[in-house]
Amino acid sequence: MTEPAEVSALELAARTAIAYRRETAAAERTPVAGYAAIHAAFAAPVPEQGGDPASIIAELTEHATPGIRAQTGPRFFGWVIGNSHPTGVAADWLASAWGQNAANVSAAPAASAVEAVAAGWLLDLLGLPRESSVGFSTGATVANTICLGAARSELLRRQGWDVEADGLFGAPELPVLIGADAHATVFVGLKLLGLGARRVVAVASDDTGRMLPDALAEAVAACARPPLVIAQAGQINTGACDPFEAIAPIVREAGGWLHVDGAFGLWAQAAPARAHLTRGVELADSWATDGHKWLQTPYDCGFAIVRDADAHRRAMAVSASYLPPPGEFERDPSAYVPELSRRARGFATWAMIRQFGRAGIAEMVEGCCAIASHMGDTLGREQGVTLVSPVTLNQFMLRFDDDDAVTLAVVAAVQADAVAYIGSSQWRGQWVMRVSVSSCATTMADADLTIASVLRCLAQVRGG
Ligand SMILES: Cc1ncc(COP(=O)(O)O)c(C=O)c1O
């Protein structure tokens, strides 16, 4: 039974969270304390004795709050970060309070069943083959790794090699081709899977980061064996999506496996006005995407989707005599991720899809894209401001006075102005201001406030 003191800790956490979320929209200048100050506030010897639950939560709140950045605020454009929508947060609170270990169906029947339903909804919303299997991971980095693991398993199995049993020593060589503007995290998966970050072949891309089909065809033709090809929906600087309709047949004809890193861009599939950008993506063999970006779930939540469910399970499933097997029509969550004990991510996923519905998701994705276009186009019309490539999705880049130092100074000034948070990036060797619009809390009014801040900061930088 939960003691009154523990109940008050739960109530205090709920009240604190609600107060924080109410004030976040108005918050300026977060965080007000940095790493060193927060570390100093927490640093202490291991407590010899335990404490009172509510006091511990009060202490955590007091010491951590100054270092909390308002990532859920409506003018956070620094990275592709959704909103940790309250409905998803509430579902996630329950996942924690229920303490469900979503390892297997026997341990957690509700968590397993809700994951199964949410998995089906995801395939429907994203327009992906209904026979695909879905693993609920921490995020797209791990989802990519899972999908690449399934690809490795299947491509080697077709050549008579059981990589799960025999590893990679002595295995047939597995050629890996990857778009030149792939996200850095994909290389984590390649490293972990023994495919090597350096031995992969980069396929040339265009000015916006889209893989060039002719370059891919040439690279595929040079492969001695069927390749694993890694494409993407949503380049992190430009938002560009690879031309899947053109590249999927090239990979298929070579007997290869096409994987798509669609951490955020795959959600264009759920917005009819943007779905042309990802046309043909359903022809791939596997897809990674995030819940904690465009579906607005709280962290952490990603999805590894694999057309060949057997390959997916072969690469991931755990079996042990003490773990009861699932029934014929039941889903074992651990069969699709490299974890046994883990959070029941299906609850927040289900809750967010239930929150928005198909129409709401389409509207939200389209809304972010429209805001990005408005900001990019408006600022790009200003003298000395260059919109580096046209806004097609939710990401765009600006360069000021075609000068690295001016551009970085404007980014720093905008961060100091604290109306909005925007970061920098490099594109084709030059510094840019990189803007990501991915929160359901952001409105056109927020866009206009941000535009005004950027222009004010530019004038300030120019004025010295
Ligand atoms: C295209 C792309 N792939 C992968 C990732 C990594 O995703 P996560 O941070 O959820 O692991 C990101 C993150 O921004 C991304 O934009």
Side-chain angles (χ1 to χ4, degrees), residues 19-100:
Y20 173 77
R21 292 304 288 260
R22 281 207 174 119
E23 287 153 21
T24 302
E28 285 189 7
R29 297 182 197 287
T30 68
V32 292
Y35 176 90
I38 304 296
H39 189 275
F42 279 95
V46 173
E48 297 299 333
Q49 307 295 333
D52 163 63
S55 309
I56 293 165
I57 297 305
E59 186 181 324
L60 174 64
T61 306
E62 184 192 337
H63 292 337
T65 304
I68 302 292
R69 187 181 291 289
Q71 295 186 0
T72 59
R75 293 185 296 281
F76 184 87
F77 303 109
W79 297 278
V80 188
I81 282 181
N83 175 250
S84 273
H85 189 284
T87 304
V89 173
D92 219 38
W93 282 348
L94 287 175
S96 290
W98 287 332
Q100 294 298 284

Side-chain angles (χ1 to χ4, degrees), residues 354-376:
R354 185 75 187 74
Q355 167 69 44
F356 286 121
R358 193 190 301 276
I361 291 174
E363 202 178 308
M364 183 242 315
V365 168
E366 183 50 33
C368 288
C369 296
I371 290 169
S373 286
H374 172 63
M375 289 172 74

Side-chain angles (χ1 to χ4, degrees), residues 242-324:
D242 284 334
F244 304 109
E245 248 183 342
I247 64 180
I250 300 171
V251 182
R252 186 157 294 181
E253 211 163 286
W257 177 295
L258 179 60
H259 170 67
V260 178
D261 171 10
F264 59 94
L266 196 58
W267 288 93
Q269 285 279 98
R274 302 283 156 171
H276 62 280
L277 296 170
T278 45
R279 191 173 297 131
V281 76
E282 69 284 355
L283 302 171
D285 298 288
S286 58
W287 307 261
T289 192
D290 268 323
H292 59 219
K293 289 189 169 73
W294 243 340
L295 188 56
Q296 318 286 325
T297 68
Y299 288 95
D300 45 24
C301 189
F303 311 115
I305 306 172
V306 182
R307 182 193 293 274
D308 179 345
D310 286 340
H312 192 168
R313 278 189 293 265
R314 212 165 47 233
M316 293 295 139
V318 185
S319 73
S321 57
Y322 75 93
L323 297 172

Side-chain angles (χ1 to χ4, degrees), residues 79-80 138-144 182-186 232-236 261-265 288-290 292-293 299 301-302 395:
W79 297 278
V80 188
T138 51
T141 304
V142 173
N144 278 321
H183 196 266
T185 54
V186 180
Q232 77 182 339
Q235 207 286 330
I236 195 65
D261 171 10
F264 59 94
T289 192
D290 268 323
H292 59 219
K293 289 189 169 73
Y299 288 95
C301 189
Q395 304 284 105

